[in-house]
């Protein structure tokens, strides 16, 4: 045997499964088709700007992040816990009253936070805030939109704020994701301020890879995986590897190419990154557009942020970085640069004629669909010695990817070393 376990894919799930297997005394070889680790968690450096592939944030309240990531060394730069909502010509800041007491009165008295909606939101989220397991005990678990309707969360807080914010977070504007899963996400936002590592989101998987005994083999896609009577054979462009077992932790779109499972359904988004000559309204908050009658954005942009205000390391000194997100499940999800800049000019109330596109990412498979019911799922065996791991086998989040990878490591180690 060339190694004990071959891990195919150096995203978060693959790296965590490799780390767990090594800690349990097994030799691991990690194969990655790309030119760097991270999977969907990648960062491009363009003219000194850090541009993540898809607007992402790291939430330090995730249990897996607390347990397995050295967060202090990432030097997290945090966003405000709240949002700025653009409705027509009005901009309203809604913020966590304890973390941002200067916005507490305005948040409570805003037309966007009617008392009936606040009561309904407390009814919807309250049990999960007290204990995360409550999200798994929702009976029945409903699609997100139906669950809001069920508790009477139907006013402006839902239409103008929650629906728009969550669509950007989930890469899904249909309201069809598991309400239990979204409760877990909302709990994590309530417990901690999300942020960005000083060196970009890719710094997290790079930290994980640095802890491995054997360097990840980059530029080495697995072409075929075959199970034998005593292990597995993995074919690559550089030859074949024989191992006692394998973890398949590739992106959801590539799962079916290696194992006999259908490709998971996913949702996607696009992210535009702009260099701007000046700050278009300084704020550490994400900006939502809810200018369409009845709620939702009036143009292609669902959320935007002056990223360099929350994470100064993302831009060279004295320069400014703005991101804008559109959703691929909408007809305008692939809007042109001209249309996106026009929409940003309306949202920020300023000219965007001097803004320069640094990079534009189209992330087709951002997150798994995650329909109800929410289940505490385990990595999936496709044979006696092959496990499939990833956020599509758990929950569509950093937490889900890390947890799935860790469980895969434990499960394989138990089978190889009872």
């Amino acid at each position: 045997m060339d190694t004990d376990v071959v891990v195919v894919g150096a995203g978060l799930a693959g790296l965590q499964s490799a780390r767990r297997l090594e800690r349990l005394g097994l030799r691991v070889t990690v194969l990655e088709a790309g030119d760097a680790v991270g999977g969907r968690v990648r960062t491009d450096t363009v003219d000194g700007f850090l541009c993540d592939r898809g607007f992402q944030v790291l939430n330090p309240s995730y249990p897996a992040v607390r347990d397995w990531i050295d967060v202090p060394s990432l030097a997290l730069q945090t966003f405000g816990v709240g949002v700025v909502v653009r409705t027509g010509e009005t901009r309203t800041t809604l913020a966590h009253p304890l973390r941002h007491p200067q916005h507490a009165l305005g948040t409570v008295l805003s037309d966007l936070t009617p008392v009936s909606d606040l009561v309904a939101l407390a009814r919807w989220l309250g049990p999960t805030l007290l204990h995360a397991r409550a999200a798994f005990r929702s009976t029945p678990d409903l699609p997100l939109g139906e669950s809001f309707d069920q508790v009477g969360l139907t006013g402006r807080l839902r239409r103008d704020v929650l629906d728009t914010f969550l669509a950007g977070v989930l890469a899904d504007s249909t309201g069809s994701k598991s309400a239990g899963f979204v409760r877990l996400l909302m709990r994590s936002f309530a417990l901690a301020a999300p942020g960005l590592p000083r060196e970009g989101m890719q710094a997290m998987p790079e930290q994980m890879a640095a802890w491995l005994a054997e360097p990840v083999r980059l530029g080495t896609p697995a072409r075929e995986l075959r199970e034998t009577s005593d292990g597995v054979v993995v074919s690559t462009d550089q030859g074949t590897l024989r191992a006692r077992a394998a973890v398949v932790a590739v992106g959801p779109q590539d799962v079916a190419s290696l194992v006999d499972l259908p490709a998971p359904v996913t949702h996607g988004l696009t992210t535009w990154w702009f260099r701007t000559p000046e700050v278009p309204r300084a704020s550490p908050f994400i900006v939502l557009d809810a200018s369409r009658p009845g709620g939702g954005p009036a143009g292609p942009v669902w959320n935007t942020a002056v990223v360099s205000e929350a994470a100064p390391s993302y831009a060279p000194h004295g320069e400014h970085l703005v991101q804008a997100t559109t959703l691929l499940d909408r007809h305008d999800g692939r809007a042109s640069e001209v249309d996106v800049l026009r929409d940003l000019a309306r949202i920020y109330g300023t000219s965007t004629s001097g803004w320069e596109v640094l990079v534009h990412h189209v992330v087709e498979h951002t997150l798994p669909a995650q329909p109800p019911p929410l289940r505490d799922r385990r990595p999936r065996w496709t044979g006696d010695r092959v496990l499939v791991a990833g956020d599509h086998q758990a929950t569509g989040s950093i937490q889900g990817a890390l947890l799935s990878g860790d469980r895969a490591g434990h499960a394989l180690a138990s089978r190889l070393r009872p």
Side-chain angles (χ1 to χ4, degrees):
M1 293 291 177
D2 299 303
T3 187
D4 289 321
V5 181
V6 172
V7 175
V8 184
L12 300 184
L15 292 171
Q16 181 57 29
S17 66
R19 291 171 63 199
R20 179 57 62 193
L21 286 161
E22 284 193 349
R23 291 186 180 189
L24 294 174
L26 296 170
R27 183 184 171 199
V28 183
T29 299
V30 183
L31 307 180
E32 168 55 44
D35 59 0
V37 301
R40 282 166 282 162
V41 184
R42 292 286 302 274
T43 304
D44 292 335
T45 301
V46 185
D47 293 344
F49 292 86
L50 300 179
C51 304
D52 297 324
R53 297 185 186 179
F55 180 51
Q56 307 175 51
V57 292
L58 177 60
N59 197 313
S61 72
Y62 283 144
V65 171
R66 291 199 311 266
D67 291 346
W68 304 322
I69 303 298
D70 181 4
V71 175
S73 73
L74 295 176
L76 209 61
Q77 306 159 104
T78 57
F79 284 87
V81 184
V83 293
V84 174
V85 184
R86 177 71 182 246
T87 51
E89 298 302 315
T90 303
R91 290 168 55 91
T92 305
T93 299
L94 305 178
H96 194 301
L98 298 181
R99 296 182 183 273
H100 305 283
Q102 71 273 28
H103 296 296
L105 187 61
T107 298
V108 173
L109 298 180
S110 170
D111 291 341
L112 296 173
T113 55
V115 172
S116 58
D117 274 5
L118 292 174
V119 171
L121 179 61
R123 186 183 310 123
W124 182 83
L125 185 59
T128 305
L129 276 180
L130 296 176
H131 200 291
R133 296 301 303 179
F136 292 92
R137 293 195 291 266
S138 301
T139 306
D141 184 19
L142 299 173
L144 178 62
E146 290 183 31
S147 74
F148 282 162
D149 292 337
Q150 187 180 63
V151 297
L153 184 51
T154 57
R156 293 193 66 186
L157 177 60
R158 186 256 182 95
R159 296 194 313 270
D160 291 342
V161 183
L162 292 176
D163 282 350
T164 307
F165 172 72
L166 290 172
V169 171
L170 303 169
D172 177 14
S173 65
T174 66
S176 61
K177 275 191 165 57
S178 156
F181 167 59
V182 180
R183 287 184 176 98
L184 289 176
L185 282 181
M186 293 287 283
R187 182 179 192 271
S188 71
F189 280 113
L191 294 179
L196 297 171
R198 181 177 53 211
E199 303 300 325
M201 285 294 293
Q202 192 173 332
M204 182 173 65
E206 286 178 347
Q207 177 194 98
M208 298 171 69
W211 291 337
L212 294 175
E214 180 182 321
V216 174
R217 299 189 187 184
L218 301 174
T220 310
R223 301 300 184 186
E224 183 184 13
L225 189 155
R226 179 167 49 89
E227 190 167 350
T228 66
S229 59
D230 62 346
V232 296
V233 176
V234 182
S235 301
T236 75
D237 296 342
Q238 289 76 34
T240 60
L241 277 173
R242 294 182 60 84
R244 298 170 64 195
V247 176
V248 175
V250 297
Q253 71 276 15
D254 296 320
V255 169
S257 67
L258 292 174
V259 295
D260 188 19
L261 287 178
V265 177
T266 58
H267 296 290
L269 53 75
T270 73
T271 304
W272 295 80
W273 296 92
F274 298 95
R275 181 207 310 254
T276 70
E278 56 187 24
V279 179
R281 295 181 179 266
S283 170
F285 296 102
I286 293 172
V287 180
L288 309 178
D289 181 38
S291 299
R292 186 179 62 196
V301 176
W302 283 73
N303 67 61
T304 177
V306 185
V307 173
S308 51
E309 287 295 289
S313 71
Y314 269 56
H317 180 70
E319 300 203 60
H320 314 289
L321 179 66
V322 173
Q323 76 82 24
T325 297
T326 68
L327 302 184
L328 294 180
D329 67 0
R330 307 288 293 188
H331 71 280
D332 54 6
R334 299 180 186 270
S336 68
E337 175 186 338
V338 171
D339 289 338
V340 171
L341 283 172
R342 183 185 301 119
D343 204 27
L344 289 171
R346 176 184 60 82
I347 292 170
Y348 284 109
T350 188
S351 172
T352 56
S353 60
W355 292 24
E356 174 192 348
V357 176
L358 294 166
V359 67
H360 169 218
H361 295 126
V362 179
V363 188
E364 299 271 4
H365 307 283
T366 306
L367 290 169
Q370 200 79 53
L374 176 66
R375 296 191 181 97
D376 191 6
R377 299 171 64 193
R378 303 284 163 166
R380 189 164 180 178
W381 291 97
T382 62
D384 290 335
R385 295 174 179 269
V386 179
L387 265 175
V388 178
D391 61 351
H392 50 87
Q393 295 298 315
T395 58
S397 61
I398 289 173
Q399 165 71 18
L402 292 173
L403 183 61
S404 180
D406 199 69
R407 286 175 168 175
H410 275 292
L412 266 188
S414 295
R415 181 158 295 189
L416 296 179
R417 300 179 61 186

